[in-house]
Every structure is written in structure tokens, then in C-alpha cells.
Amino acid sequence: MAAPGGWRAARARRRRRGRDRDREKEEEEEEEEEGGTGTEAVLRRLREARDDLLSSGFWAASAGAVRAPLSGPAEPPACCVCYGLGRFAACPAARYQLAFLLLLLEELRVPPARCALFDPAFSAREAAALGALGLRLLTENEEGKHGVGGSATLFYMVHCGKALYNNLLWSNWSPAALSKLVIIGNSFRGIEERLLSRILERDYSYIAKVLKGTEEVALPSHPRYLDTFNDTSVHWFPLDKLQELSPEVWNFVEEPRYQDCEDLEIIRNQDRAAAQS
């Protein structure tokens, strides 16, 4: 059925295209300031970031934390999911985080084709650069609700919102599934220290409940990357520790709603749809 006032809708679409062009122009200007707008320029800056991580010693110092989950009986990750990387063509911090991820995949021998990324902020050039690297893009916003399906999986989530971690845990809420997760992201200990316990238990109950079943090793501090990897830790969930938790911990599996959360740090599907309308 044709909507009344169809010419108005067409005009609105033109405005959206105008906004899209404005955004593309802004992206080009940002990337020009960083040394070029083409895919090859983006890849060149990424190689430079990789070289910096290696020459600075930060990657070598981080290797112990990266390998820590593999010291026990857990199987090594067979695939990887990355959320919230950001605009790495224009933002140096995001670029270093991506370079670190690529080194991580090499270290863990995870093929690039088995690493999927999602960030609604990616530009077309960034998407092309990721494709050139052999990485995959997720087409839908999972809101962190990604079940591992029996495969050991690394989740790379540096500086993501607490709800994203909470959703991920909920989606894998069993000892068998959680024991197959490795999460590199905001320190769970730091989250516990910064939040009032009643807020943590009310809004992020799955983080609160898994704390006693979590092993955590912080990435080292380095003066060159203080804003890039601050408060970042490697987390894993040994099966024996999870099995020691009270049976009641596993009985409550209600999907998180965040109805009372005042500072939700996550882009939800309904929020994105409303912004695009």
C-alpha cells in the first residue's frame, strides 16, 4: 500500500543521503589527517602500528598474559569475535588495538577467516581494509549475545560497555560453554571495584555471578599505550572453578533487560533502528 504523502518520504530519503554524504566527507577529512584515505593507506598505517607494538616491547610483555589461558587443560581458541573496535582508520588507539588483535591471531594460530568483527561505526574504507586482511564482518548487531556452540572462542572486546560482557556471559551460561571462552577486555575485577555491589548484581548479574569462577591476568602497563589498553585483562573460566559454584548460580538464566540501568554503554538494535529512521 502506498503511504500518504509519499513525496514527503522521498524528500526525507534525500536528506538521509545528504547526511550520508556529509558523514563520508567527514570520514575522508579525518583519514586524510591521518595520512591518506585509500585502503592501502589504512593498511600501511596498520603495519606501522604493528611495528610499533613489536619495537616498543609491549607485545612481548603481553605475551605471558595472552598465553595464560593455555597453560591449563583448556583447548586453544579455534575462532575469534571482536566487538567495538572503533574507527581505526582515523583513531590511533583503535588502530593499535586492531594491530594487537592481528598479532594475537598469529600467536594463537587462529586464521583471519575465522575472526569476525562488528562495529556500526566502521566506514566503507575500514570494511574494505578488514576484508583485505582476510577478516570477516558480522552483518548484524548481536549485542554481545553470541553463543560459542561448542567451539573454543576468543572474544576481543577492549573498552566495551559492561552490558556487552554481561550479554556474552548470559548467552553461554553453563560451565561447559563458559569454559570455552577467553575474553580480552575491561577488567572484571575493576568493574567489581568501581560499581556498588547492588548495582552490579541488579544490572550486570552475570558478571557478578561469574567472578568467583574467573581467572584474570592484566595486560602490562606501558607509557606509550596508557589510553589504548588501560584496564584491559585476559579472562578465562576454568571448568573446575565453575563447577565449584553453587548450583543456584546456574538456575537463573533470565535474559538481561537493563530496565533500571541509567548509563547503558551499548548500542541496542532498537536504538540503532530509531537513529536511522
Side-chain angles (χ1 to χ4, degrees):
M1 179 185 298
W7 61 275
R8 293 193 185 92
R11 187 171 60 190
R13 285 194 293 272
R14 284 196 295 271
R15 285 199 299 270
R16 283 200 294 273
R17 287 197 296 271
R19 289 197 297 270
D20 290 342
R21 285 194 295 270
D22 290 343
R23 180 183 176 188
E24 290 175 0
K25 184 177 180 181
E26 290 173 0
E27 290 171 352
E28 289 177 359
E29 291 173 351
E30 290 174 357
E31 293 171 9
E32 282 174 359
E33 292 175 0
E34 290 294 318
T37 62
T39 300
E40 182 51 44
V42 175
L43 294 173
R44 173 177 52 77
R45 294 195 296 275
L46 188 57
R47 289 192 294 269
E48 292 170 354
R50 179 185 187 277
D51 292 344
D52 285 346
L53 289 173
L54 292 172
S55 63
S56 69
F58 180 75
W59 170 252
S62 302
V66 167
R67 298 190 189 106
L70 305 180
S71 61
E75 60 184 289
C79 51
C80 173
V81 176
C82 172
Y83 294 128
L85 183 63
R87 294 293 315 285
F88 61 88
C91 174
R95 188 155 56 249
Y96 279 114
Q97 289 166 9
L98 176 55
F100 189 94
L101 172 60
L102 295 173
L103 289 169
L104 191 61
L105 296 178
E106 292 178 15
E107 175 70 22
L108 299 178
R109 299 182 180 179
V110 176
R114 303 206 67 179
C115 182
L117 301 88
F118 179 81
D119 194 313
F122 286 152
S123 68
R125 295 172 186 83
E126 287 164 333
L130 294 172
L133 292 167
L135 303 167
R136 295 189 301 112
L137 290 179
L138 292 171
T139 57
E140 296 183 4
N141 180 10
E142 300 178 323
E143 298 181 5
K145 300 171 185 176
H146 187 107
V148 296
S151 298
T153 305
L154 167 69
F155 288 87
Y156 190 73
M157 306 167 62
V158 180
H159 296 166
C160 285
K162 295 180 286 293
L164 215 60
Y165 302 105
N166 198 56
N167 286 351
L168 175 61
L169 295 171
W170 168 76
S171 298
N172 296 279
W173 197 245
S174 72
L178 288 175
S179 66
K180 294 184 179 297
L181 268 65
V182 175
I183 301 174
I184 298 182
N186 295 2
S187 166
F188 283 13
R189 291 175 190 159
I191 292 173
E192 181 185 24
E193 291 170 357
R194 288 189 294 271
L195 281 184
L196 294 173
S197 58
R198 63 178 179 84
I199 300 297
L200 179 62
E201 293 168 4
R202 183 195 70 190
D203 294 340
Y204 310 106
S205 61
Y206 292 96
I207 296 177
K209 290 187 291 186
V210 85
L211 286 170
K212 292 182 179 179
T214 304
E215 293 285 352
E216 175 177 334
V217 176
L219 292 189
S221 177
H222 191 288
R224 192 166 180 174
Y225 309 110
L226 289 179
D227 294 333
T228 305
F229 296 104
N230 63 304
D231 194 42
T232 300
S233 291
V234 181
H235 309 79
W236 69 102
F237 312 92
L239 184 59
D240 56 346
K241 292 191 71 169
L242 295 171
Q243 290 173 335
E244 292 173 359
L245 300 181
S246 166
E248 288 76 18
V249 165
W250 309 107
N251 292 338
F252 183 81
V253 290
E254 181 178 337
E255 183 174 1
R257 300 295 182 187
Y258 309 108
Q259 294 176 343
D260 300 316
C261 186
E262 296 179 354
D263 58 344
L264 191 61
E265 305 162 313
I266 186 174
I267 297 176
R268 308 180 80 174
N269 282 321
Q270 61 263 37
D271 298 335
R272 191 180 181 202
Q276 291 177 341
S277 63

